[in-house]
Amino acid sequence: MRNLRDCRLYGIVDLGYVGIAEAERATEAMLEGDVDLVQLRAKKLSLDEIVDLAGKLHRITSAAGIPLIVNDYAEVAAKVPVEGVHLGQDDDSLSHARKKAGRDVLIGKSTHSLQQAIAAEREGADYVGFGPIFATPTKPDYQPVGLNGIKRVHHEVNVPTFFIGGIKIDNLGEVLAAGAKRVAIVSGLLNAPDIAKYARACKTLLQPET
C-alpha cells in the first residue's frame, strides 16, 4: 500500500460530479493516471449505500496498492477495509472517529486556516487538506484562502498537507510555485474528457525534483 508521505496527487470521487454507476469507472481511470490516493465523497447517499459503494471501490484501489479514504463516515471503516477517513471541521473529533472505525486507520481533516491546520495536527490528524485555494463550487460557503500562505503552512505543519479548492491543470503550476508539494483535485479530474490522461499530466507536474 502506498505510503502517505509518498502521495502527491489526491483524487476525489465526488458523487456531486459523477453518478454511482460511474464511480468505479472514474476510480479505475484515476488509478490508470497514477493518482496516489483516492477519496470517496458521497454526501447524499445513505450509510448502507456508502458501505456498498466503498466496498466496490476498495476492491479496485486495493488491487492497485492505493489507499481509499471515505469522507465523513468513520463507521464505514468498521464494515469495509478502507485505509482511512476524512473529516470536516464540523464532523466528529478524531478520537471519536477512531472509536467508530474500531481499528487503526488514517484520518485526515479539512482545514481553512493555518490555525486550523496546526490544531488538526495537534489533534492527531495523519494529514490535512488545506483550502479552498481558489473559489470552488464544492465549498461555496468558504472564502478562497489564496496562494500566499502555502509556504507558511509547510513551515508550521509537519504532517502531509494536500492543498485543495479550484485546483486544475491550468493553475497547478501557480500552486506549486507558491510552495505546494501535494494537491487534491476534484472537478478538474472528474470533468476531464480523459480522466487518466488529465491525472498523468498533473502527476508529471507534481513529481519532486531529483
Side-chain angles (χ1 to χ4, degrees):
M1 193 60 62
R2 193 159 297 180
N3 186 284
L4 185 62
R5 288 201 172 268
D6 295 331
C7 294
R8 299 262 169 184
L9 180 58
Y10 194 161
I12 299 182
V13 180
D14 187 332
L15 296 196
Y17 291 93
V18 295
I20 296 177
E22 300 169 297
E24 290 174 77
R25 177 196 60 79
T27 301
E28 289 170 345
M30 285 185 183
L31 299 183
E32 186 184 339
D34 201 23
V35 163
D36 297 304
L37 195 62
V38 173
Q39 181 185 131
L40 170 60
R41 182 191 281 168
K43 297 284 188 182
K44 296 183 180 179
L45 295 191
S46 69
L47 180 59
D48 286 345
E49 288 173 319
I50 294 171
V51 167
D52 181 62
L53 184 55
K56 292 175 181 176
L57 298 192
H58 190 258
R59 285 191 284 275
I60 297 167
T61 56
S62 61
I66 297 300
L68 178 65
I69 311 293
V70 173
N71 187 269
D72 290 346
Y73 297 97
E75 53 267 51
V76 173
K79 300 181 179 185
V80 180
V82 297
E83 284 68 42
V85 176
H86 187 88
L87 303 173
Q89 285 293 312
D90 299 325
D91 293 331
D92 291 330
S93 66
L94 267 75
S95 59
H96 191 47
R98 291 191 191 283
K99 287 179 184 176
K100 281 186 174 180
R103 59 189 177 87
D104 188 24
V105 294
L106 296 171
I107 298 190
K109 191 155 188 174
S110 292
T111 64
H112 314 294
S113 68
L114 177 61
Q115 291 73 23
Q116 287 182 356
I118 292 170
E121 180 180 6
R122 286 178 180 160
E123 193 185 354
D126 295 292
Y127 74 87
V128 296
F130 188 90
I133 300 302
F134 304 110
T136 170
T138 307
K139 296 280 186 182
D141 298 330
Y142 290 99
Q143 278 290 109
V145 297
L147 299 168
N148 292 336
I150 288 177
K151 285 184 180 175
R152 191 171 174 198
V153 172
H154 276 310
H155 182 68
E156 299 195 32
V157 179
N158 295 310
V159 295
T161 301
F162 293 87
F163 295 93
I164 187 169
I167 298 174
K168 297 179 169 61
I169 189 74
D170 296 343
N171 58 29
L172 180 55
E174 293 176 62
V175 178
L176 299 179
K181 298 174 184 175
R182 301 174 177 87
V183 299
I185 300 180
V186 189
S187 64
L189 277 170
L190 297 177
N191 290 335
D194 186 329
I195 291 175
K197 183 178 179 180
Y198 193 98
R200 275 194 297 270
C202 293
K203 189 69 180 289
T204 297
L205 292 176
L206 281 157
Q207 295 297 345
E209 294 180 6
T210 55

